């Protein structure tokens, strides 16, 4: 009679510990490629000496041996060569203890494992079940191998982090809950791959390519945004977020990924760059690709591949939105760690992936992977999307002014304001690490300009250089006779008057008369103009080499209705001395929100409820209403908490208590977002040490 299957023990706990997948919630067997896992199979009777056992693993809807999405291999006593293999560890009392080894370059994903036994003239086909195979950064033979233990812990295993935001003169940080191990997230990450355009067009080929981190990274950069496909997040930079959530309100990726799945894979509204990057980071770490989040301040968005970004003003000093080039106060993308056999070993390591939909690549909104080392060397003709990323950190900024007769006149070029303070979270702490020198040679060094010229030559082989590079253009421009800058006076806080000082200096030994046209606009961080909130025109006389100060006051009443969650105001002054080129002075200021304080009221222990208190004081002379507190934190509470907070009278202080239930020991990050009608997104985070 045929052999029957009495039971399978996947030895999940010990396998998951050995494979560094023990942090995942849920009962699945999750293993990493290139490393053996152990299981035992109990049969209805013993295996006779002449019997043979064969295993079949398969993944995807059309498994095939030629595509390496299916493998058939015997149970042997020795170890196999490079492919899949099964080794008999012991055979006692109908129980086979087996060790199964996958190749270090196997496609990742969900696998089915079957076993075929030929014994005493009869064949039995036994379905053993499924397991999930991930990338293995602990294994040297895997293309995602990362040798440093502390870096691996941070870039694969850390499920909370910091994203830098703000502007060059005011770098801020927000916490983000990556939550890659939370219940259901791994399955959603596999669904992201199964919803891609590539999978829908040709599933067999797509699954076969899932052995390659370069391929998976590129597919994910397309899938995290909703353009072109059933992607995860819908972007919105308009300043109006009706029909969705203000991008500043999210605390992490878990809520976003779960909402995408719950809705039947409809795009979640809305995201901006750090939301795309935070979510991509979750999926990369979840699948086992080491990754981190990078912020570039003064990030250029060059749409026409000429390595320069054009900005325009009208004669009254108002910024003009013309053309699609722009400089974002900050932009956030990801780096993922893997080898680049297509470029050569010197370009292994960090690769840029950017899921924010800015430009199409091969017809789809996707970006990367681009080797950081290749960006620094100016190899803009290499794969993938190098010209765009090179420009983000290197473009020259050209200022144009419309004359009163409507003619457009080039005003000035700036070769060093773009690509500043490129930042990421430190390994093992919340400090900021500056990685600018990984992306470019020091500003003003000969190498830096050589690389820029090399990149221009590759992009515009027929252009004559004397005309294109901003450094040569600078030589034709007459030196301005005055200089100007905005200085901040006093505190910058929502609800308070904004006080700036325009400082004008006469650089010559002749008296000068200056006409100054000034405006202030509320903006979104990427430079989208929301509304003009203030304007003024003055004429000033400057004695030789004199410096004067002109105060600028913008009241809360003027900006209150138009300020977005970005809390950004752009002040500009176009300064005109007769018969000389205008001098454009611009300053973006960020207003501080009132403080939101979180405090833990008891000692935090695993599986013991803990009380947390939120404190908030309304700083305004008017009431605030529609107050909601959202709380999230992997290992501290399952899912997220939404608490309606009563309206607050002017200057009133609010105290809200809520309970969390830690599920993991160690230092965990609790994140809160408080929103109301006057403050769209106030953030707080707290590190909580949880005892066993």
């Amino acid at each position: 009679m045929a052999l029957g299957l009495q039971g399978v023990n996947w030895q999940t706990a010990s396998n998951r510990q050995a494979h560094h997948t023990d942090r995942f919630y849920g009962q699945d067997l999750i293993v990493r490629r290139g490393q053996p896992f152990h299981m035992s199979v109990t049969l209805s009777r013993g295996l006779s000496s002449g019997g043979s056992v064969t295993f079949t693993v398969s993944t995807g809807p059309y498994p095939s041996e030629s595509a390496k999405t299916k493998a058939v291999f015997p149970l042997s006593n020795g170890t196999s060569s490079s492919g899949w293999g099964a080794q008999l560890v012991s055979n006692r009392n109908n129980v086979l203890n087996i060790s199964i080894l996958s190749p270090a370059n196997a496609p990742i994903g969900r696998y089915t494992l079957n076993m075929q036994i030929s014994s005493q003239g009869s064949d039995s086909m036994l379905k053993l079940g499924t397991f999930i195979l991930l990338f293995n950064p602990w294994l040297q033979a895997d293309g995602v191998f990362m040798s440093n233990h502390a870096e691996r812990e941070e870039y694969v295993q850390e499920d909370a982090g910091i994203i830098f935001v703000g502007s060059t003169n005011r770098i801020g940080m927000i916490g983000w809950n990556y939550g890659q191990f939370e219940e259901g997230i791994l399955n959603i990450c596999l669904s992201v791959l199964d919803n891609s355009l590539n999978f829908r067009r040709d599933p067999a080929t797509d699954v076969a390519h899932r052995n390659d981190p370069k391929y998976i990274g590129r597919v994910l950069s397309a899938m995290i945004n909703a353009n072109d496909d059933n992607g995860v997040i819908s972007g919105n930079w308009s300043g109006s977020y009706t029909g969705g959530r203000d991008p500043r309100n999210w605390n992490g990726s878990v809520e976003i990924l779960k909402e995408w799945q719950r809705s039947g894979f409809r795009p979640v509204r809305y995201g901006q760059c750090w939301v795309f990057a935070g979510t991509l980071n979750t999926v990369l770490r979840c699948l086992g690709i080491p990754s981190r989040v990078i912020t570039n301040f003064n990030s250029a968005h060059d749409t026409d591949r000429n390595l320069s970004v054009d900005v325009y003003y009208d004669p009254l000093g108002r910024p003009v939105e013309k053309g699609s080039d722009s400089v974002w106060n900050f932009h956030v993308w990801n780096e993922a760690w893997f080898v680049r056999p297509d470029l050569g070993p010197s370009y292994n390591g960090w690769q840029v992936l950017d899921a924010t939909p800015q430009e199409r690549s091969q017809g789809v909104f996707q970006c990367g992977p681009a080797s950081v080392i290749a960006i620094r060397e100016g190899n803009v003709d290499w794969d993938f999307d190098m010209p765009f990323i090179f420009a983000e950190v290197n473009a020259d900024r050209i200022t144009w002014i419309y004359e009163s007769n409507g003619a457009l006149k080039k005003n000035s070029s700036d070769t060093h304001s773009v690509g500043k303070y490129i930042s990421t979270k430190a390994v093992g702490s919340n400090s900021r690490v500056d990685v600018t020198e990984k992306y470019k040679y020091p500003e003003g060094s000969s190498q830096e300009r050589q690389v820029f010229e090399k990149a221009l030559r590759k992009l515009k082989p027929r252009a004559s250089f004397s005309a294109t590079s901003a450094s040569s253009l600078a030589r034709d421009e007459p030196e301005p006779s005055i200089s100007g800058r905005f200085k901040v006076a006093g505190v910058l806080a929502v609800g308070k008057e904004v006080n700036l000082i325009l400082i004008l200096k006469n650089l010559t030994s002749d008296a000068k008369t200056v006409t100054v046209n000034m405006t202030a606009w509320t903006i979104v961080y990427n430079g989208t103009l929301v509304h003009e909130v203030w304007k003024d025109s003055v004429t000033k006389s400057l004695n030789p080499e004199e410096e004067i100060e002109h105060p600028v006051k913008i009241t809360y009443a003027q900006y209150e209705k138009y300020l977005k969650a970005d809390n950004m105001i752009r002040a500009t002054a176009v300064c005109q001395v007769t018969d000389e080129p205008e001098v454009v002075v611009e300053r973006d200021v960020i207003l501080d929100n009132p403080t939101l304080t979180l405090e833990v009221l008891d000692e935090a222990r695993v599986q013991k409820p803990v009380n947390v208190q939120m404190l908030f004081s309304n700083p305004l002379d008017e009431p605030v209403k529609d107050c909601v507190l959202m709380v999230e934190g992997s290992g501290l509470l399952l899912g997220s908490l939404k608490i309606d907070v009563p309206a607050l009278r002017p200057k009133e202080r609010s105290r809200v208590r809520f309970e969390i239930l830690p599920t993991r020991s160690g230092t965990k990050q609790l994140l809160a977002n408080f929103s109301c009608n006057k403050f769209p997104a106030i953030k707080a985070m707290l590190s909580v040490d949880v005892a066993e």
Side-chain angles (χ1 to χ4, degrees):
M1 84 177 215
L3 269 169
L5 179 67
Q6 286 197 320
V8 179
N9 179 352
W10 291 99
Q11 301 179 20
T12 305
S14 57
N15 278 323
R16 280 174 50 155
Q17 193 148 19
H19 285 251
H20 310 280
T21 59
D22 46 325
R23 299 191 193 179
F24 284 96
Y25 284 90
Q27 298 313 304
D28 286 314
L29 174 63
I30 304 164
V31 292
R32 298 190 186 275
R33 60 187 194 173
Q35 183 176 335
F37 66 90
H38 297 273
M39 59 186 295
S40 51
V41 177
T42 306
L43 303 172
S44 55
R45 59 183 163 81
L47 192 60
S48 62
S49 54
S52 75
V53 177
T54 310
F55 291 93
T56 305
V57 291
S58 60
T59 184
Y62 304 105
S64 88
E65 290 182 77
S66 60
K68 297 195 162 54
T69 50
K70 175 182 174 184
V72 180
F73 49 97
L75 180 60
S76 70
N77 293 324
T79 51
S80 82
S81 55
S82 58
W84 287 85
Q87 194 178 346
L88 183 62
V89 179
S90 68
N91 174 7
R92 278 199 296 281
N93 312 335
N94 311 355
V95 179
L96 304 178
N97 278 306
I98 301 158
S99 161
I100 300 221
L101 179 64
S102 59
N105 61 350
I108 59 121
R110 188 180 292 283
Y111 278 79
T112 304
L113 179 63
N114 294 334
M115 174 175 167
Q116 191 165 4
I117 301 178
S118 304
S119 174
Q120 298 170 348
S122 69
D123 282 4
S124 324
M125 177 67 162
L126 308 175
K127 284 187 164 24
L128 300 181
T130 65
F131 63 92
I132 294 172
L133 189 68
L134 300 179
F135 289 103
N136 194 347
W138 282 262
L139 181 75
Q140 192 156 7
D142 195 317
V144 302
F145 172 64
M146 188 169 242
S147 57
N148 180 302
H149 167 79
E151 291 182 3
R152 239 179 5 235
E153 282 299 302
E154 178 75 42
Y155 299 134
V156 184
Q157 300 285 63
E158 186 53 69
D159 59 5
I162 295 288
I163 301 177
F164 294 95
V165 296
S167 65
T168 49
N169 43 34
R170 186 125 206 184
I171 295 178
M173 55 154 110
I174 54 168
W176 195 262
N177 181 29
Y178 299 121
Q180 66 268 34
F181 305 119
E182 296 301 288
E183 189 104 53
I185 293 298
L186 174 52
N187 280 325
I188 297 172
C189 293
L190 295 174
S191 302
V192 173
L193 296 175
D194 288 346
N195 274 279
S196 73
L197 290 176
N198 291 13
F199 181 83
R200 298 211 300 263
R201 284 179 193 139
D202 182 353
T205 306
D206 173 76
V207 173
H209 280 143
R210 292 183 189 178
N211 64 333
D212 181 359
K214 182 165 85 265
Y215 177 80
I216 286 201
R218 187 156 174 79
V219 166
L220 291 176
S221 80
M223 274 305 296
I224 298 302
N225 68 68
N227 306 50
D228 325 297
D229 44 42
N230 303 26
V232 180
I233 301 161
S234 183
N236 180 342
W237 287 264
S238 69
S240 165
Y241 309 111
T242 42
R245 202 188 278 196
D246 186 318
R248 296 251 172 188
N249 287 151
W250 300 108
N251 283 322
S253 319
V254 177
E255 289 292 290
I256 293 171
L257 290 165
K258 284 183 172 169
E259 187 177 316
W260 179 68
Q261 183 195 42
R262 263 199 309 271
S263 71
F265 309 119
R266 291 226 290 285
V268 176
R269 299 188 292 195
Y270 290 105
Q272 289 169 355
C273 66
W274 68 94
V275 183
F276 293 103
T279 305
L280 178 53
N281 211 55
T282 295
V283 181
L284 290 165
R285 286 186 185 179
C286 186
L287 298 178
I289 301 176
S291 63
R292 61 187 187 179
V293 173
I294 300 285
T295 304
N296 178 37
F297 291 94
N298 289 352
S299 190
H301 181 167
D302 172 24
T303 52
D304 44 12
R305 295 170 64 108
N306 63 351
L307 300 192
S308 70
V309 174
D310 300 305
V311 290
Y312 301 88
Y313 296 87
D314 76 4
L316 295 177
R318 288 189 297 237
V320 179
E321 298 196 68
K322 171 194 186 298
S324 34
D325 281 6
S326 53
V327 177
W328 296 26
N329 266 288
F330 66 91
H331 179 45
V332 184
W333 59 70
N334 302 76
E335 287 176 357
W337 177 272
F338 48 82
V339 297
R340 290 299 299 269
D342 56 324
L343 304 180
S346 339
Y347 299 95
N348 292 347
W350 291 117
Q351 314 290 326
V352 172
L353 293 167
D354 189 346
T356 297
Q358 288 180 297
E359 294 295 317
R360 282 205 166 84
S361 169
Q362 296 172 317
V364 175
F365 282 96
Q366 57 187 349
C367 183
S371 155
V372 173
I373 295 165
I375 293 165
R376 189 175 66 182
E377 298 307 324
N379 295 323
V380 291
D381 46 344
W382 289 7
D383 286 343
F384 292 86
D385 307 307
M386 293 285 294
F388 182 74
I389 299 166
F390 182 85
E392 286 185 302
V393 298
N394 286 299
D396 291 336
R397 181 187 168 121
I398 317 284
T399 303
W400 301 81
I401 293 188
Y402 283 95
E403 304 292 290
S404 36
N405 63 6
L408 191 57
K409 194 174 89 194
K410 182 164 173 220
N411 174 264
S412 61
S413 345
D414 177 350
T415 60
H416 51 256
S417 69
V418 161
K420 295 299 219 197
Y421 306 115
I422 305 175
S423 303
T424 192
K425 174 192 175 302
V427 170
S429 83
N430 286 349
S431 332
R432 184 182 77 86
V433 173
D434 194 297
V435 293
T436 311
E437 84 292 345
K438 303 271 188 263
Y439 279 83
K440 50 188 185 177
Y441 287 102
E443 200 69 66
S445 66
S446 60
Q447 294 130 305
E448 183 235 2
R449 274 289 129 183
Q450 275 161 6
V451 165
F452 191 84
E453 303 285 341
K454 167 182 167 183
L456 265 177
R457 259 197 313 280
K458 285 173 182 275
L459 288 176
K460 294 191 137 88
R462 286 167 301 287
S464 80
F465 282 96
S466 51
T468 44
S469 74
S471 46
S472 58
L473 288 166
R475 286 196 287 275
D476 325 332
E477 294 158 11
E479 284 297 303
S481 62
I482 56 158
S483 70
R485 64 188 175 94
F486 278 114
K487 190 172 85 176
V488 174
V491 294
L492 293 172
V494 180
K496 301 261 190 300
E497 184 175 80
V498 174
N499 286 292
L500 302 175
I501 295 169
L502 176 63
I503 299 173
L504 295 173
K505 186 170 170 56
N506 183 350
L507 304 173
T508 69
S509 42
D510 306 315
K512 295 285 176 185
T513 302
V514 193
T515 305
V516 186
N517 291 317
M518 291 172 284
T519 60
W521 292 68
T522 52
I523 61 167
V524 178
Y525 78 98
N526 69 337
T528 302
L529 301 172
V530 178
H531 206 278
E532 186 177 83
V533 294
W534 175 88
K535 63 177 179 204
D536 192 17
S537 291
V538 293
T539 301
K540 295 280 183 185
S541 301
L542 287 157
N543 292 324
E545 289 167 19
E546 185 186 12
E547 184 172 275
I548 60 162
E549 298 192 347
H550 178 73
V552 169
K553 280 193 193 332
I554 308 164
T555 64
Y556 181 49
Q558 285 171 308
Y559 70 75
E560 169 195 9
K561 284 192 184 57
Y562 307 112
L563 193 71
K564 295 296 156 188
D566 309 71
N567 287 357
M568 285 189 183
I569 295 177
R570 172 168 294 174
T572 55
V574 175
C575 312
Q576 173 86 63
V577 175
T578 311
D579 299 332
E580 290 184 20
E582 297 90 337
V583 171
V584 179
V585 184
E586 184 174 88
R587 175 79 186 254
D588 290 349
V589 295
I590 301 178
L591 311 189
D592 285 341
N593 277 324
T595 312
L596 182 69
T597 310
L598 295 174
E599 43 193 35
V600 176
L601 302 177
D602 333 282
E603 189 201 17
R605 295 195 99 81
V606 173
Q607 296 302 345
K608 183 174 155 270
V610 181
N611 285 297
V612 181
Q613 180 166 268
M614 172 216 85
L615 298 172
F616 175 73
S617 294
N618 174 11
L620 303 177
D621 295 322
E622 47 193 299
V624 299
K625 57 179 203 285
D626 311 326
C627 309
V628 177
L629 179 69
M630 310 256 290
V631 183
E632 192 173 320
S634 289
L636 293 172
L637 67 162
L638 293 173
S640 69
L641 275 179
K642 181 179 177 205
I643 301 160
D644 289 319
V645 179
L648 288 165
R649 295 190 299 278
K651 309 290 191 204
E652 187 184 357
R653 184 169 180 206
S654 172
R655 175 182 277 143
V656 175
R657 283 194 181 183
F658 55 91
E659 203 175 72
I660 59 173
L661 183 66
T663 50
R664 296 256 165 89
S665 61
T667 303
K668 300 289 160 205
Q669 183 171 266
L670 187 66
L671 295 166
N673 178 80
F674 178 80
S675 60
C676 61
N677 65 330
K678 301 289 181 188
F679 298 101
I682 303 179
K683 297 286 184 196
M685 64 182 169
L686 180 65
S687 287
V688 180
D689 292 317
V690 181
E692 267 304 347

